[in-house]
Amino acid sequence: MKHPWLILALVVVAIVGMAVSVDLVMIKYNVDAGTANYQSHCNISAEVNCDRVAASDWSTLFGVPIAAFGFLFYLFVGWLAAGCRWRIRRYYPHGIELIFWLGIASVLYSALLAWVSHAVIGTWCIMCMALYAVNLALTILAFFASERGLIEGITILFKDLRQQFSDPYKLVSLFFVAAVMASVLYYTSAAEAFRQPPTVENLLQNLVKLDKPIMLDGPTFGNPKGKVVLAEFSDFQCGHCKTLHASLRDLITRVSELKIVHKDFPLDEACNPSIKQPYHRYACEAARVARCADKQMKFLEFSEVAFTNQDDIDSVKLQQWIEELGLDAGKMAECLAEENTRLAVESDIHEGLQIGLPGTPAIVLDGKYYYAGRLDAIVLEQLVLKRLDVVKNREAKKGENSVK
């Protein structure tokens, strides 16, 4: 072997890729959990934010974090590289050529993901960029470590594939690699499923009864005299809050006895003392604008625009939406400058902290029972209907007692 140190470098770079991939998987799971106090080590600003990338739909493939596939890729590359240096070499003598072409594919995929980060998500992820560098390094190292021409390498690789199933040792090694990959994918998909919203039975069991009911004030929609009141603790820059809010807006069209109260819990250090570093940078400002829009009977219209375009929220966009919604600019400026507007948002945050709110979204049923986390729209409707049945039965019993 001409350059054994290049083979060692390939193994080291593959190990780095595995470590970064594991870190990204953990970031993905923590972001999905919606914990308010969680902010990853690479959450630097709105423009450089691994958490925001992890919260996007682009961070998973077939229900599995993309980083989990990355871990398997680097594990396979490292195994091939190690095999070229040690005894496995006799079973996979052309592993370097395979690593090179895998590296080319990974660099192209990195270019696609980089474009998505820039053009679609609008945020860069440092750890993702580290993997882009790893992919490029693997390709360059494999290029210089190859002892054959790359065109010749393609021909050899096809020949290897034809001979793969004729050698029992190769079959055993392939089975081992496939088993490891299947185990990792099973674990990650199972872990992702575990984080899915609960069934209504589990939800009822996990509702926390509050020692002290929360105040049911703030912007409202639905039936103002509804028999069931559901408060949503929300953040206009929270992806799962966007989903919950859409479910609630749809739900009030099917359940006439439902009243929704909006409660602000922005994950923004500017007004939320539980957030210690920049996260949802404009969430506090958006919450105040929503309060002022509510005074002009435009809360739902503003919330629709804000949630739909939450990746674009900043001070300029908020002002633009005020104009597009036809809100009185003078009244909005006066309302935003009022101390009471700031205090209203901070009061909601204080209530959330008092009940131990771990993050957003969260719901409080009739001011007494709360649950934090993602909720499936069907499960949410079942919960409201069950609560409505309880309220109606209670009223029916009171009516019977009054007749007696």
Side-chain angles (χ1 to χ4, degrees), residues 331-403:
K331 290 182 179 179
M332 286 295 294
E334 182 180 342
C335 175
L336 290 170
E338 289 178 357
E339 183 74 1
N340 286 340
T341 303
R342 179 183 64 81
L343 292 177
V345 174
E346 291 181 357
S347 176
D348 283 356
I349 295 171
H350 180 67
E351 278 189 317
L353 295 176
Q354 277 195 320
I355 65 177
L357 196 67
T360 55
I363 60 168
V364 178
L365 194 59
D366 288 333
K368 301 175 183 178
Y369 307 94
Y370 108 93
Y371 175 83
R374 289 181 291 170
L375 283 172
D376 180 78
I378 296 175
V379 172
L380 185 61
E381 182 173 358
Q382 292 172 342
L383 173 67
V384 170
L385 291 176
K386 283 181 178 291
R387 183 61 181 173
L388 184 57
D389 287 339
V390 170
V391 174
K392 287 182 176 179
N393 290 335
R394 185 181 301 155
E395 290 178 348
K397 288 181 180 180
K398 284 183 179 180
E400 293 174 0
N401 292 334
S402 63
V403 171

Side-chain angles (χ1 to χ4, degrees), residues 108-175:
L108 294 175
Y109 187 60
S110 295
L112 171 64
L113 293 182
W115 176 84
V116 168
S117 289
H118 172 69
V120 180
I121 306 174
T123 301
W124 293 100
C125 166
I126 288 180
M127 301 308 287
C128 301
M129 294 169 71
L131 290 185
Y132 305 161
V134 165
N135 294 338
L136 183 60
L138 288 174
T139 306
I140 293 173
L141 288 171
F143 174 81
F144 286 107
S146 176
E147 298 176 356
R148 299 171 181 81
L150 296 179
I151 301 301
E152 179 188 357
I154 296 179
T155 304
I156 293 173
L157 289 178
F158 277 112
K159 182 179 178 181
D160 282 352
L161 287 175
R162 289 195 300 268
Q163 296 176 348
Q164 190 67 50
F165 296 98
S166 63
D167 190 324
Y169 293 104
K170 291 183 178 181
L171 284 176
V172 170
S173 60
L174 273 182
F175 177 79

Side-chain angles (χ1 to χ4, degrees), residues 14 25 40 48 54-55 63 117-118 126 138 140 185 197 204 210 257 288 367:
V25 169
S40 69
V48 183
S117 289
H118 172 69
I126 288 180
L138 288 174
I140 293 173
L185 293 179
L204 288 169
L210 302 176
E257 292 292 347
R288 292 192 294 270

